[in-house]
Amino acid sequence: MKHRIVVLGAGYAGAYVAGTLARRLSPADTEITVVNAEPDFVQRLRLHQLAAGQEIAAPQLTDVFAGTAIRLRLARVTAVDPERRAVAVADADGGGELGYDTLLYALGSHGADHGVPGVAEHAFDVAGRPSALRLRERLDSLSNADGGGSVLVVGDGLTGIETATEIAESRPGLSVTLVARGELGAPLATGARRHLRRACERLGITVLEHTAVEAVEATRVLCADGTALASDATVWTAGFAVTPIAAASGLEVTENGRIVVDRTMRSVSHPSVYAAGDSAYAIGDNGRPLPMSCASAGYTGRQATDAIVGRLTGREVADTKLEYVGNHISLGRRDGILQMVDGEGRAKPKYVGGRKAARIKAGIVRMSLWATAHPTFGLPKRRHRLAAAPDASRAEKASA
């Protein structure tokens, strides 16, 4: 019986790990299945552009995994049972159950409403392709209406900043307001904060700082100070959360549901389970938790891959880098900010802004897409055999 590897999620982390494992492990010993709810790869880094009205490539996962022998199961994960080593899924045919010997959990994250009333019912987000397309449709209707409309972006993190600036640049007929809970761009260096403010002024974005939103209604947002802000489209970008599936499974998780992993991305409670991307609570080389980001997906994905291959084939498991080096922020298509951070995660005094930063960010996005769509490029063609018979009982010994 072949060793069954199941990868949950085909985002930046899941797609990379699955494709790399397929090239590095012999198909004579292993069977790799990827479970994903959508048939295409979603460029989450560019969903704010999709919402603003731009065309964003979405490669079919069948093309991404072509020639790898990976089995693609289009289904939604509903539960994980790490004691039985089984995953429950739901699809158009009713779903079923998949057994595994090694599991890579990479289901990512979604927008967090933080319990604010009305967010789920009335707000839009750019955390997924379907929701970004819904926002795009709403913006289309506002742009085509006489007098335009007002767009309120709640949240001054990187997603909120990129979303507000992208909409303002792509749809100049709309009035855009960015609601910041604290000071706009507070984590950035002084010069970068000034650059951000100038960009918002240039794009005609109204910035409301030190403003907390207490409720979202169909045509307005209610603030903690009692003011009401009119809004034809409220975009909620106030953070991200993971699905409750891992917490419900009995895996050891943090308070917010992220899987607690060791240095090799293996679950500290269930050694047959690995996690990567936003789902993993991983400590970086600086001693701090890695943030939810595409960069973290790459680092944790590489470490999980090396650990799985090493343990299954009897090789030494190498420690790969787990870094957080900085933020790359797009401010529309022609402007941006590249802010590096020090070992403590604090902004360094210098930054790169303007077109150069925009080109760097665009290059990173293109590289991320290309690397995901070509997961086996540059890897050795020789595939490793497993060190032990690939059944469930011996897999536990191999991971010990």
Side-chain angles (χ1 to χ4, degrees), residues 294-305:
C294 175
S296 296
Y299 289 125
T300 56
R302 281 192 290 273
Q303 180 62 83
T305 302

Side-chain angles (χ1 to χ4, degrees), residues 262-323:
D262 63 15
R263 182 58 176 73
T264 68
M265 301 303 115
R266 185 167 62 173
S267 163
V268 297
S269 62
H270 293 78
S272 62
V273 177
Y274 293 78
D278 291 352
S279 303
Y281 180 77
I283 304 301
D285 294 338
N286 62 358
R288 299 174 178 271
L290 291 175
M292 293 183 179
S293 68
C294 175
S296 296
Y299 289 125
T300 56
R302 281 192 290 273
Q303 180 62 83
T305 302
D306 283 351
I308 292 171
V309 172
R311 291 194 173 105
L312 292 183
T313 62
R315 287 169 167 77
E316 181 180 352
V317 176
D319 285 346
T320 62
K321 290 183 178 180
L322 295 177
E323 297 180 305

Side-chain angles (χ1 to χ4, degrees), residues 9 18 25 51 109 129 134 146 160 162 186-187 205 237 286 308 343 347 358 391 400:
L25 295 174
S109 61
R129 184 176 174 83
R134 286 194 295 272
D146 292 336
E162 292 192 327
I205 299 171
T237 64
N286 62 358
I308 292 171
D391 59 31

Side-chain angles (χ1 to χ4, degrees), residues 369-388:
L369 175 62
W370 194 93
T372 302
H374 302 80
T376 64
F377 179 80
L379 295 176
K381 295 183 178 180
R382 180 174 178 269
R383 301 186 183 186
H384 302 303
R385 301 296 300 268
L386 299 198

Side-chain angles (χ1 to χ4, degrees), residues 81-342:
D81 187 341
E83 305 302 332
R84 295 177 48 244
R85 296 188 184 183
V87 176
V89 299
D91 57 21
D93 298 324
E97 191 173 83
L98 295 173
Y100 68 83
D101 300 309
T102 296
L103 181 72
L104 187 283
Y105 190 109
L107 289 179
S109 61
H110 58 271
D113 61 17
H114 301 296
V116 175
V119 172
E121 296 83 1
H122 304 298
F124 298 88
D125 67 70
V126 292
R129 184 176 174 83
S131 58
L133 289 173
R134 286 194 295 272
L135 174 57
R136 176 175 178 158
E137 183 178 356
R138 177 60 175 161
L139 296 179
D140 284 343
S141 66
L142 293 177
S143 297
N144 294 331
D146 292 336
S150 59
V151 179
L152 199 67
V153 179
V154 180
D156 59 330
L158 304 188
T159 302
I161 291 170
E162 292 192 327
T163 301
T165 53
E166 201 72 53
I167 293 175
E169 182 181 88
S170 298
R171 299 174 182 268
L174 300 180
S175 172
V176 179
T177 298
L178 177 60
V179 179
R181 190 175 185 87
E183 179 186 1
L184 179 65
L188 301 175
T190 301
R193 288 199 301 272
R194 287 198 295 264
H195 186 101
L196 174 57
R197 289 183 182 279
R198 289 195 298 268
C200 289
E201 292 172 359
R202 172 175 55 82
L203 294 169
I205 299 171
T206 300
V207 178
L208 300 178
E209 297 178 290
H210 308 290
T211 302
V213 172
E214 288 195 335
V216 177
E217 297 181 352
T219 59
R220 64 178 186 169
V221 163
L222 305 181
C223 302
D225 61 3
T227 60
L229 305 174
S231 175
D232 295 308
T234 299
V235 188
W236 191 263
T237 64
F240 296 93
V242 298
T243 70
I245 293 175
S249 72
L251 292 165
E252 183 171 337
V253 299
T254 60
E255 289 185 1
N256 62 2
R258 299 172 76 186
I259 298 173
V260 181
V261 297
D262 63 15
R263 182 58 176 73
T264 68
M265 301 303 115
R266 185 167 62 173
S267 163
V268 297
S269 62
H270 293 78
S272 62
V273 177
Y274 293 78
D278 291 352
S279 303
Y281 180 77
I283 304 301
D285 294 338
N286 62 358
R288 299 174 178 271
L290 291 175
M292 293 183 179
S293 68
C294 175
S296 296
Y299 289 125
T300 56
R302 281 192 290 273
Q303 180 62 83
T305 302
D306 283 351
I308 292 171
V309 172
R311 291 194 173 105
L312 292 183
T313 62
R315 287 169 167 77
E316 181 180 352
V317 176
D319 285 346
T320 62
K321 290 183 178 180
L322 295 177
E323 297 180 305
Y324 170 48
V325 297
N327 296 312
H328 307 85
I329 311 167
S330 63
L331 305 174
R333 296 298 85 214
R334 296 178 294 277
D335 193 2
I337 294 173
L338 170 58
Q339 176 68 73
M340 306 306 288
V341 300
D342 61 20

Side-chain angles (χ1 to χ4, degrees), residues 9-20 34 36 40-45 57-66 68 70 294-295 297-298 301-302 363-377 379:
Y12 290 106
Y16 171 82
V17 173
T20 307
V34 174
N36 200 61
D40 44 30
F41 173 73
V42 176
Q43 291 194 72
R44 191 167 181 178
L45 283 172
Q60 294 290 298
L61 291 175
T62 51
D63 294 333
V64 171
F65 298 135
T68 64
I70 289 173
C294 175
R302 281 192 290 273
I364 290 172
V365 170
R366 287 194 298 269
M367 180 180 66
S368 298
L369 175 62
W370 194 93
T372 302
H374 302 80
T376 64
F377 179 80
L379 295 176

